[in-house]
Amino acid sequence: MRLAVLGAGAVGRATANLAAEYGHTVTALADSSGAVVDPDGVNVAAALAHKDDTGTVGDADPADALTAEYDALVEATPTTLGDAQPGFDHVRAALELDRHVVLANKGPVAERYDDLRELAARSAGELRFEATVAGAIPVLATVEGVGAERVNAVRGVLNGTANFVLSRMSADGLGYEHVLAEAQDLGVAEADPSFDVDGTDAALKCAILANVLNDGGYALADVDVEGIADFPGSALEVAAEDGQAVRLVGEVTADGVARVGPRLVPANDALAVSGTENIVQLDTSHAGRLNLSGAGAGGPETATAVLADVGRLD
């Protein structure tokens, strides 16, 4: 399949690099300031080397990527809130051309799901977004396989940065600021970690899950959110003494609950994952509880979810 990849951050780069291994050809690659387009296939290595040297993948206008010859658009630009732009307009342009769209960008799915569904309904292109929830973990594919109407609730640890901070504080009795600085040094946390530690990233994923389970109607504002920045280290110590752990847990139910916040879980519970690992639990009508765990972030890891979606396209 011919791919136009928008976004040359960790996920976009990894998707472009791995596309050929999965049997696909990248015919357009763009970042915010430039693009390279070739109907016979972009030289991905050269384009990314050009970005490393100059700050952009190529000299063409980024808009040229949207009108290039491709079968599926991979939208991997940074997540934005509210109107979810420019990602939403990228998706609109591709669907109006009857092209498929695969999203890694959470913004359009979390904030404008109903609008996306309406665009997709009028298009011959298909819309998929596995990579928007829990990185490499096939959460949405599992929900699709079980049937959303037979999933009663989803809960999980959905943000690796917050989980690293909480589990490290608990294991070694270290303070929040110390562990956060360590996470930044290790590249686990961004220079501005607020998106992760205030619960926004996990809440976006909960909004997406709530939309899938409830057939739309949710945005970030509909999720109750509490982060970990003000969570006292002393509470972690008390929890540990009682055989408990604290994790930032996102919860979505088929009857409308969508929330994120620190929760007490037994220290030996499946939800008590450590480090940057993510876990998602599906409570189903007929298959019981399904636990899915693994890498919830990372360029190559998330790119596997993007390319799995590409493989599902007709």
Side-chain angles (χ1 to χ4, degrees):
M1 190 166 283
R2 298 171 302 171
L3 306 181
V5 180
L6 295 190
V11 176
R13 290 177 75 108
T15 299
N17 274 323
L18 292 173
E21 181 180 328
Y22 283 71
H24 308 301
T25 300
V26 176
T27 54
L29 177 62
D31 54 29
S32 60
S33 56
V36 56
V37 176
D38 188 335
D40 295 322
V42 168
N43 184 330
V44 171
L48 294 178
H50 190 271
K51 181 172 179 64
D52 291 338
D53 291 340
T54 68
T56 185
V57 295
D59 300 324
D61 191 306
D64 292 345
L66 284 169
T67 57
E69 296 181 27
Y70 62 90
D71 302 303
L73 175 73
V74 174
E75 219 302 336
T77 64
T79 293
T80 54
L81 306 182
D83 63 4
Q85 296 290 14
F88 182 82
D89 277 349
H90 297 159
V91 175
R92 186 208 308 269
L95 289 174
E96 288 179 346
L97 291 170
D98 291 326
R99 314 288 176 84
H100 301 303
V101 174
V102 173
L103 281 142
N105 179 351
K106 292 181 284 293
V109 197
E111 295 282 46
R112 301 186 65 178
Y113 183 80
D114 295 340
D115 293 336
L116 283 187
R117 290 281 300 277
E118 187 176 327
L119 287 171
R122 298 198 301 262
S123 175
E126 190 176 346
L127 177 70
R128 302 198 71 92
F129 44 92
E130 179 68 70
T132 62
V133 178
I137 306 172
V139 177
L140 300 180
T142 304
V143 171
E144 184 178 19
V146 171
E149 70 279 10
R150 289 180 286 275
V151 177
N152 304 313
V154 181
R155 72 185 58 81
V157 174
L158 300 171
N159 183 271
T161 299
N163 201 57
F164 176 91
V165 171
L166 286 173
S167 58
R168 184 92 169 88
M169 287 173 65
S170 179
D172 297 295
L174 300 172
Y176 171 79
E177 297 295 341
H178 178 97
V179 174
L180 183 59
E182 179 184 18
Q184 290 169 321
D185 289 343
L186 293 171
V188 172
E190 301 289 344
D192 179 3
S194 57
F195 209 61
D196 298 311
V197 299
D198 68 7
T200 300
D201 176 69
L204 286 167
K205 295 167 185 174
C206 282
I208 294 168
L209 288 164
N211 278 319
V212 171
L213 262 58
N214 297 286
D215 199 29
Y218 286 79
L220 178 62
D222 299 305
V223 184
D224 292 329
V225 187
E226 180 184 356
I228 66 166
D230 298 322
F231 197 83
S234 58
L236 294 173
E237 295 174 11
V238 171
E241 290 171 359
D242 196 35
Q244 304 280 310
V246 177
R247 295 293 181 263
L248 184 68
V249 176
E251 301 172 90
V252 174
T253 68
D255 59 3
V257 172
R259 61 190 179 190
V260 172
R263 301 284 183 266
L264 276 173
V265 299
N268 60 354
D269 191 84
L271 284 175
V273 290
S274 61
T276 58
E277 188 174 6
N278 281 193
I279 182 167
V280 180
Q281 295 180 330
L282 307 180
D283 287 345
T284 72
S285 297
H286 307 303
R289 177 170 293 174
L290 306 178
N291 290 332
L292 308 170
S293 63
E301 294 86 350
T302 305
T304 66
V306 171
L307 291 163
D309 264 352
V310 173
R312 295 182 185 105
L313 296 170
D314 293 332

